[in-house]
Amino acid sequence: MNVFLGLGIAGIALLVLSLVFDGVLEGLFDGAGVLDGLFDGLLSLPVIAGFVSMLGFGGAIVLGTTGLGAAAATAMGAGVGVGAAWLTWRFSRALMRDQTAATPRGDDLVGTPGAVVTAIPADGYGEVLLQLAGQPVKFAARSAVAVTRGTEIWVEAALSPTSVAVRPVQR
């Protein structure tokens, strides 16, 4: 029983170490020719930690709750360990494939409707409220003609990361 509990605790310790030494075992086979990419995360520290801890704790549970011997407890623990290692590997692959949306750029504002917050004098600057990535954002705005507060506008160009050229909407 102590051996199984020791393996379970060692697996948890490995998991803690995997937070510090992430990717060390994957780097052992980099540039090794035939072995390069063969394991593809199967020998990562979290996968090994999941296997070892579930081997230990699964074996301890089987040994403590049933009348089976150490060999059966080891076999059952290894089965549970393989399952935990596989789930850890699949979960880590899913996290690695997670992609974020593209960061909005100034050019994405061109053609965006908005409203004037602070009046824009002719050839001067005022402020407009635009929707950027679904969020209301206030930008400095320049227009060739004077635009009053509350007027609906269209963005013609992004002048800088914080200012745009606008024109009033003609209806």
Side-chain angles (χ1 to χ4, degrees):
M1 174 76 85
N2 290 338
V3 171
F4 287 119
L5 290 176
L7 282 172
I9 293 169
I12 291 176
L14 269 177
L15 188 58
V16 170
L17 287 175
S18 73
L19 294 174
V20 177
F21 299 112
D22 185 34
V24 170
L25 290 180
E26 288 94 341
L28 289 178
F29 298 112
D30 279 349
V34 176
L35 296 178
D36 193 25
L38 179 65
F39 297 106
D40 194 27
L42 285 176
L43 289 181
S44 66
L45 226 42
V47 170
I48 293 171
F51 173 77
V52 171
S53 64
M54 289 309 292
L55 168 68
F57 290 134
I61 290 170
V62 169
L63 194 60
T65 59
T66 66
L68 301 174
T74 302
M76 297 288 271
V80 174
V82 166
W86 181 80
L87 285 173
T88 304
W89 177 67
R90 294 291 295 179
F91 184 64
S92 64
R93 286 189 50 157
L95 287 176
M96 292 301 220
R97 283 192 310 266
D98 187 28
Q99 300 293 320
T100 60
T103 303
R105 299 182 322 239
D107 293 339
D108 295 336
L109 291 172
V110 175
T112 302
V116 176
V117 178
T118 304
I120 305 170
D123 289 327
Y125 279 95
E127 292 179 323
V128 294
L129 189 63
L130 304 173
Q131 294 286 328
L132 179 63
Q135 298 296 316
V137 181
K138 194 175 358 175
F139 285 88
R142 186 174 181 92
S143 177
V145 297
V147 185
T148 60
R149 182 176 187 262
T151 304
E152 187 178 355
I153 53 91
W154 284 95
V155 176
E156 290 183 322
L159 303 174
S160 74
T162 59
S163 66
V164 292
V166 299
R167 68 171 172 82
V169 173
Q170 302 294 324
R171 296 215 185 243

